[in-house]
Amino acid sequence: MPTTMVKGKRPVGRPRKNWSVKEPEPAKIRVEVTDDQQVGHLNVLPHGHARNELEERINDLGDSWETESLFEDVIEDITEDRFFTDTESVTPEQAVRYRQQLRAIGPQEFFKQNVESGAITAKKLLTAFGIKPPGFLEGLPDHKYFDLLTLALSRELVKRAKLMKYNTIDDAVYLMKKSRNIVVLTGAGISTSLGIPDFRSKETGLYSQLEKLGLGINDPQEVFNIDIFRDDPTIFFSVAKDILPDTKGLYSPTHAFIAKLQNMGKLLTNYSQNIDNIEANAGIKPEKLIQCHGSFATATCQKCGYKVQGDTIFDDIKGGKIPRCERCIAALRSNNGMKRKRSYNKYTGKKSRRSRSSEDDDDDDQYDIPAAGIMKPDITFFGEELPHEFQQRLTKHDRDLVDLVIVIGTSLKVAPVSEVVPYLPPHIPQIYISRTPVNHHNFDIDMLGDCDVVVAELCRRAGWDLHHPMVPADQVVDIRLDEGWKSRHVFTPVETQKPSPEL
C-alpha cells in the first residue's frame, strides 16, 4: 500500500552514484569470511581502458537525478532473475560459484583472477549475475563491457550475503521449529486467494484496473495521494467501494499460519503491508501486528480528528457517498449553523466561491453550508507518515530479538517497508515465500508458488495442524529445485484424479 519514501534512501535495486573506473593497483587483499557473511565491501572496480557509451553519457550528466534514473533503466532492462542456458552464458553451477567467489575475495581480486587472466570474458561473466549482454555492445571489444560488469559487481555486493548452510525445505522446517522470535513480513499475495486483488499485477492488479476507469488522473497511484485526496476526495471515494474489504470474517490459510506461529509463542511481529485488516479475522493480536500502511479498521475526521471504527462508515462508502464526521455534524447543529444565506460581493455582484461535494444539490446553490469534516479511512496514503509504531517496534525491539525472518506474498518494492529485511541483522536466517522471486535481495531459502500451498506443506512437514477449509486434507504438492539453484524450490499442487464410479 502506498506510503512515503524514506528520505535519503535509494529506490530498491538502484546502484550507488559515481562509481569510477580505476586501473587496478597491485595490492594485497586481506579477506576474512565469518559465518558465510560478507565482512565488508571492497571498492569496485578494477579495469577500464576505454569508457563505453553508457559511462560517457553518465559522466556528462554529472551528479543529477538523471544519473540514477539512467543506471536503473539500463540495468533493469537487461537483468533477469534466472540463469541462462545458452552457449554464450556461464552454466548455473558456474554462476553460483562466481557469486560466492566475488564475496570471498572481493571485486578487485575477482576481476584480476577471472577477466585480466583471460579465464573468461567480461561479456560472458555478466551472465553469472543475471545480466544479458545488451545488443548495442555486440561486436565491440571486451573492455567495452567492463563498466557494465562494474555495475553488476556493485549490485551483487550491496545485497545481503546468503547463509550457505540453509538450502532445503527441511532446513526451512528446522528453522521454523527451533525459532522463538519470528518476524513475518506480508504483502497482498496472502489475501489474493480470498478474491482481494494485489496492487501491481499487470492484468488483475488494482492499479491496472484503476487505469481503465478514466478518473482524470495521470497515474492510478494518485488515487492514494494525500494531496489529491484533500483537494478532491471524490476521486478516492469513487473507487473505495471496490477496494473495501468484504471478507465476512474469512481469512486465508496463510493468515492461519501466522496465527499459528503466534499461538505457539513463536511470532515476534507481523509487519503487514495490507489494508484489508484480515489479520484480525485470523485472531492475530494487535500487540503482535504492525499495519505498516494502516487499514480500513478505523477512520479519522480530517477536520477535528475524531476517530471511529471503520465499519461505521462502510455503508456510506458502499453507497458512493463521502462519509462525514458525526461529531462535526452535531456541533454544527448545536450552533444552528447548518445553512446561511450566501453573501454577494458588493463590488462585483458575484457570489463568493466555495467548494462543493458530490452530494450537493441545486437547491443548495444559494447557501454557504459549514461543512462537517470528511472521515478518511486510516490507510496510509502517499505523502503521509507511516505509523509511529512501525519504526519504534523495528528499531527498539525487533532488531535485537529476531531469530528468523519469513517474507510472504510481497515483491518488496515499496519503501520504507522494503528496507525492513535489509535492516535486520544479516546473520539471521531469511525465508522467502511468493509466486515469483525477487532479484534485489538474497534470501537463504526461496519457496515459489501459491502462498497457501507453501505454508500448508511446511506445516505438514513440521507436524503442525493447519486446519483450514481451503486446504484439502489429501493435498499433494510436487516440489522441485529451480534450475541452477540449491535453495530455490518451486511448489505445485498435484491434481488428484478421483476414481470414476463403477458401472
Side-chain angles (χ1 to χ4, degrees):
M1 186 54 217
T3 183
T4 53
M5 293 288 288
V6 174
K7 190 174 182 179
K9 295 283 188 182
R10 300 190 315 281
V12 177
R14 176 158 294 179
R16 301 179 185 276
K17 287 183 178 181
N18 302 331
W19 285 107
S20 59
V21 180
K22 300 178 180 179
E23 295 290 339
E25 297 178 1
K28 295 182 178 179
I29 301 176
R30 181 173 177 265
V31 178
E32 297 179 5
V33 178
T34 305
D35 192 26
D36 298 323
Q37 293 303 301
Q38 177 191 349
V39 176
H41 294 274
L42 299 177
N43 289 331
V44 185
L45 189 96
H47 213 286
H49 291 111
R51 302 177 185 275
N52 63 22
E53 295 87 348
L54 175 59
E55 188 185 347
E56 289 174 357
R57 290 171 62 194
I58 290 168
N59 287 343
D60 289 341
L61 290 171
D63 190 21
S64 70
W65 69 269
E66 291 181 282
T67 303
E68 287 195 347
S69 177
L70 182 58
F71 265 122
E72 187 71 9
D73 290 344
V74 171
I75 199 70
E76 292 302 330
D77 286 345
I78 59 177
T79 301
E80 300 184 36
D81 193 39
R82 67 181 181 89
F83 294 126
F84 306 109
T85 55
D86 56 272
T87 57
E88 300 297 319
S89 305
V90 301
T91 66
E93 294 75 16
Q94 289 173 329
V96 172
R97 288 199 296 270
Y98 279 127
R99 295 182 185 194
Q100 293 173 356
Q101 183 191 34
L102 171 63
R103 292 185 179 276
I105 65 178
Q108 292 179 339
E109 188 65 20
F110 177 82
F111 187 89
K112 182 178 179 181
Q113 290 188 18
N114 292 293
V115 179
E116 283 191 343
S117 67
I120 187 174
T121 63
K123 176 183 178 181
K124 189 171 184 177
L125 189 55
L126 283 170
T127 64
F129 302 96
I131 296 178
K132 198 71 173 174
F136 67 83
L137 292 179
E138 187 63 37
L140 297 179
D142 195 56
H143 66 256
K144 293 288 188 177
Y145 293 86
F146 288 176
D147 301 290
L148 199 52
L149 182 60
T150 298
L151 184 54
L153 301 185
S154 67
R155 283 165 58 92
E156 182 66 25
L157 289 175
V158 165
K159 300 177 186 177
R160 165 189 177 268
K162 172 184 162 23
L163 304 181
M164 302 307 296
K165 57 186 175 184
Y166 301 121
N167 297 286
T168 67
I169 306 299
D170 289 341
D171 290 338
V173 172
Y174 163 77
L175 289 169
M176 286 179 5
K177 294 177 74 172
K178 85 176 186 69
S179 300
R180 291 294 179 268
N181 291 295
I182 302 175
V183 164
V184 180
L185 195 155
T186 52
I190 74 169
S191 298
T192 54
S193 60
L194 299 175
I196 300 175
D198 62 17
F199 283 86
R200 289 176 172 77
S201 292
K202 289 184 178 180
E203 296 298 329
T204 60
L206 178 62
Y207 289 147
S208 177
Q209 296 177 31
L210 293 179
E211 203 166 13
K212 303 171 184 176
L213 296 180
L215 298 173
I217 52 180
N218 297 322
D219 186 328
Q221 296 184 75
E222 291 181 357
V223 167
F224 302 102
N225 182 294
I226 190 59
D227 293 327
I228 290 178
F229 178 87
R230 289 167 180 161
D231 181 62
D232 185 3
T234 61
I235 294 176
F236 170 76
F237 285 109
S238 68
V239 301
K241 61 181 180 296
D242 298 320
I243 62 174
L244 194 66
D246 186 20
T247 58
K248 299 181 177 62
L250 298 178
Y251 53 91
S252 72
T254 305
H255 290 98
F257 167 72
I258 300 167
K260 175 167 282 294
L261 293 179
Q262 169 192 269
N263 297 337
M264 295 177 70
K266 292 176 171 290
L267 181 65
L268 181 61
T269 304
N270 175 197
Y271 289 89
S272 173
Q273 298 176 87
N274 300 334
I275 62 175
D276 49 39
N277 199 39
I278 296 177
E279 294 85 4
N281 296 349
I284 298 172
K285 300 175 182 177
E287 60 267 26
K288 291 291 185 180
L289 176 65
I290 298 294
Q291 293 176 309
C292 306
H293 299 145
S295 77
F296 279 96
T298 57
T300 302
C301 174
Q302 299 301 286
K303 180 173 286 188
C304 73
Y306 182 54
K307 189 179 289 286
V308 299
Q309 290 297 307
D311 56 10
T312 62
I313 67 170
F314 283 4
D315 286 344
D316 280 345
I317 293 177
K318 291 175 182 177
K321 299 179 181 179
I322 296 179
R324 297 284 180 174
C325 174
E326 293 182 355
R327 190 165 74 173
C328 286
I329 292 172
L332 290 169
R333 284 174 176 164
S334 66
N335 293 332
N336 296 317
M338 288 304 292
K339 287 189 178 183
R340 62 180 179 178
K341 197 74 172 181
R342 178 182 295 146
S343 61
Y344 284 78
N345 187 311
K346 63 181 180 181
Y347 297 107
T348 64
K350 295 181 180 180
K351 294 178 181 180
S352 57
R353 298 178 61 188
R354 68 179 180 89
S355 60
R356 297 179 56 199
S357 64
S358 60
E359 64 266 40
D360 289 340
D361 57 38
D362 293 339
D363 292 338
D364 287 332
D365 281 353
Q366 58 183 320
Y367 292 99
D368 281 327
I369 304 176
I374 295 172
M375 299 299 297
K376 171 185 169 292
D378 289 334
I379 58 180
T380 307
F381 278 43
F382 288 110
E384 290 189 298
E385 295 291 333
L386 263 66
H388 177 68
E389 296 79 9
F390 168 75
Q391 184 173 358
Q392 285 294 108
R393 179 87 176 192
L394 179 64
T395 60
K396 306 295 184 183
H397 185 263
D398 291 354
R399 194 176 195 275
D400 296 328
L401 296 176
V402 60
D403 56 10
L404 176 63
V405 179
I406 305 178
V407 177
I408 315 178
T410 172
S411 57
L412 293 176
K413 289 186 177 179
V414 178
V417 178
S418 61
E419 302 293 340
V420 169
V421 179
Y423 175 78
L424 295 172
H427 67 279
I428 300 299
Q430 298 184 0
I431 295 172
Y432 184 73
I433 301 172
S434 197
R435 287 189 179 277
T436 55
V438 296
N439 60 20
H440 56 271
H441 186 81
N442 287 329
F443 288 93
D444 302 312
I445 305 172
D446 296 297
M447 290 175 277
L448 307 181
D450 184 295
C451 299
D452 295 340
V453 171
V454 174
V455 299
E457 179 65 15
L458 290 175
C459 287
R460 187 190 70 78
R461 294 189 177 213
W464 300 347
D465 292 329
L466 187 69
H467 296 299
H468 193 284
M470 294 173 65
V471 179
D474 58 348
Q475 178 170 275
V476 178
V477 181
D478 174 65
I479 304 174
R480 61 176 176 80
L481 280 172
D482 204 7
E483 185 177 4
W485 296 87
K486 295 181 179 179
S487 60
R488 180 172 291 178
H489 310 268
V490 180
F491 287 60
T492 307
V494 177
E495 294 286 342
T496 56
Q497 292 185 346
K498 295 182 180 180
S500 58
E502 295 183 3
L503 297 177

